[in-house]
Amino acid sequence: FGAIAIGTAIGWMTAKKVQMTKMPELVSMFNGMGGACAALISLIEFTHHQHSGEPATTGTMIAIIAGLVIGSVSFSGSVIAFLKLNGTMAKPIRLPAYNMLNNVFMLGVLLFGSYLVYTGGNMMLAYTLFGSALIYGILFTIPIGGADMPVVISLLNSFTGLAAAFGGFLYDNKIMLTGGILVGSAGTLLTLIMCKAMNRPLSNVIFGAFGAGS
């Protein structure tokens, strides 16, 4: 309860002081904190099952690994989105063949996560997956131009909700599950609406097929 009080005070004061024109990057940063929370929960639960001596069920491992990957991507992607909206990263960074690089990296992270679910893995592999997902979140976001960032932030927001929902499955917590589903579905719907308004399919967002905007 002390931690909740401290976090509430920090969040309240930060939101009260921020200028209205700076609200999008603040929302992005707060969303990133939610993703980081989900990823840390997964790391803690992975450690718990490693030390308990009782192997986790397949369903539990899926919830842990999915929360770890999605939360990590949401966190690092939201930090990059914050830096872009804040003007710290003024120009999108285009790596050579970034479409191919992003897609291959995403596939690698998914396969790595599936391997951990299947084998149980160990803490070193879990931290490696954590770092890989953070890198993918950065690679996913850095090519996007400032004009397109609202779509990406909305998508990352739905990722955070999805990661929280997996935490609800993990703990059998109905409130966490319901809240995560609400955030995830609302963020996805908003993303689809914005994509339609910009005449871009959602696949272009996910696979990095659109980039800089004026």
Side-chain angles (χ1 to χ4, degrees):
F1 284 109
I4 290 173
I6 293 171
T8 300
I10 293 173
W12 182 279
M13 294 304 298
T14 303
K16 288 283 286 183
K17 289 181 179 180
V18 71
Q19 299 177 3
M20 202 62 194
T21 53
K22 297 289 185 180
M23 194 60 71
E25 50 257 56
L26 180 65
V27 170
S28 179
M29 181 56 70
F30 281 170
N31 178 64
M33 294 301 101
C37 180
L40 290 175
I41 285 174
S42 292
L43 283 175
I44 291 169
E45 286 304 306
F46 192 92
T47 305
H48 170 73
H49 285 288
Q50 286 285 310
H51 293 166
S52 66
E54 297 180 4
T57 64
T58 301
T60 299
M61 282 300 297
I62 289 174
I64 291 174
I65 298 302
L68 176 61
V69 171
I70 298 171
S72 301
V73 170
S74 176
F75 169 63
S76 58
S78 294
V79 170
I80 298 299
F82 170 82
L83 294 175
K84 284 177 173 288
L85 290 171
N86 199 43
T88 307
M89 292 181 64
K91 295 182 179 180
I93 300 173
R94 294 297 188 87
L95 300 173
Y98 78 94
N99 276 343
M100 183 67 69
L101 176 65
N102 282 4
N103 294 338
V104 169
F105 206 96
M106 179 184 67
L107 182 61
V109 170
L110 293 176
L111 290 175
F112 190 14
S114 300
Y115 172 78
L116 284 184
V117 170
Y118 181 73
T119 64
N122 55 53
M123 283 310 301
M124 183 60 68
L125 291 177
Y127 283 120
T128 302
L129 179 63
F130 175 57
S132 300
L134 289 176
I135 293 172
Y136 175 71
I138 295 171
L139 292 175
F140 172 74
T141 314
I142 56 173
I144 310 301
D148 296 326
M149 287 314 299
V151 181
V152 178
I153 290 173
S154 178
L155 184 61
L156 292 171
N157 183 58
S158 69
F159 285 176
T160 298
L162 188 58
F166 278 112
F169 278 119
L170 187 61
Y171 291 125
D172 195 24
N173 187 316
K174 304 301 188 296
I175 296 176
M176 194 173 183
L177 178 62
T178 304
I181 291 172
L182 285 173
V183 173
S185 59
T188 302
L189 182 59
L190 181 60
T191 302
L192 292 171
I193 291 172
M194 286 195 288
C195 285
K196 185 176 181 180
M198 298 172 75
N199 197 28
R200 288 191 176 110
L202 181 59
S203 60
N204 283 14
V205 179
I206 296 174
F207 296 110
F210 74 91
S214 60

